[in-house]
Amino acid sequence: MNHDWREAMRLRTTALPAKEDQALLARLEAAAALPFAATGYWLGLAGEDYRTCRRNGRGVPLDPILAQALPSPAELERAPFELSDPLNEKIHSPLPRLVHQYRSRILLRTTGECPIYCRHCFRRSLLPTERGFMDEAEQEKAREYLAAHPEVREV
């Protein structure tokens, strides 16, 4: 078994075979929603095949492993009380990908690429705009920010 994370990322599943699933992926992409990707290892943990799994009335897989990884039409539903930024990260983001909510620590989101895009991700609104890894210019701005904020002890 290969344990190289780069290989797992390269080989992850990003398409679904059923026509209705392909249509759902297109709708999610058009809505700039969370993309779909899952590693073969993760999909293999499920009790049934991800291509033919049973789903509830809202289209969510019944298998809990698959429910975390497979998109469903329920993702396009929004309740009135749902927030697009539930952690209020935008108001604490002096730079893209950097959150400085606490005095001595920052969160630096170096990539928007995940081996599995968990369907319950609370950063789902940020990931579509942060795909890929930080480029050199973003890294330099983060270094400058850290140099200007010596109170930061944790990144």
Side-chain angles (χ1 to χ4, degrees):
M1 174 183 250
N2 187 344
H3 295 288
D4 180 29
W5 67 270
R6 288 173 227 107
E7 185 74 0
M9 289 289 284
R10 190 177 68 74
L11 295 175
R12 64 190 173 160
T13 300
T14 57
L16 294 168
K19 285 189 190 319
E20 60 271 9
D21 288 331
Q22 292 170 11
L24 173 60
L25 291 177
R27 287 175 59 207
L28 290 170
E29 186 177 328
L34 197 61
F36 165 67
T39 63
Y41 173 78
W42 184 260
L43 294 172
L45 293 172
E48 55 186 308
D49 190 306
Y50 74 95
R51 294 169 291 235
T52 57
C53 66
R54 296 169 297 131
R55 295 176 182 253
N56 68 16
R58 295 179 63 220
V60 178
L62 297 178
D63 183 285
I65 297 290
L66 296 178
Q68 290 183 63
L70 297 182
S72 75
E75 291 179 44
L76 295 168
E77 299 169 9
R78 291 280 175 190
F81 56 83
E82 285 184 84
L83 302 172
S84 61
D85 182 15
L87 300 178
N88 255 346
E89 291 182 341
K90 287 182 183 169
I91 64 169
H92 298 288
S93 294
L95 297 172
R97 299 183 184 258
L98 189 147
V99 180
H100 193 171
Q101 187 167 358
Y102 304 102
R103 179 174 157 63
S104 65
R105 66 179 63 146
I106 65 167
L107 168 65
L108 189 59
R109 294 186 303 264
T110 60
T111 183
E113 296 297 321
C114 295
I116 302 161
Y117 289 108
C118 299
R119 306 329 291 178
H120 59 272
C121 182
F122 52 85
R123 290 198 167 95
R124 67 184 311 117
S125 65
L126 303 171
L127 287 173
T129 60
E130 293 184 359
R131 296 296 299 274
F133 294 88
M134 288 180 77
D135 61 29
E136 290 293 327
E138 290 172 314
Q139 291 175 40
E140 183 56 34
K141 287 181 181 174
R143 280 191 284 276
E144 291 170 1
Y145 185 85
L146 284 170
H149 291 84
E151 72 276 12
V152 174
R153 295 189 321 259
E154 291 181 58
V155 179

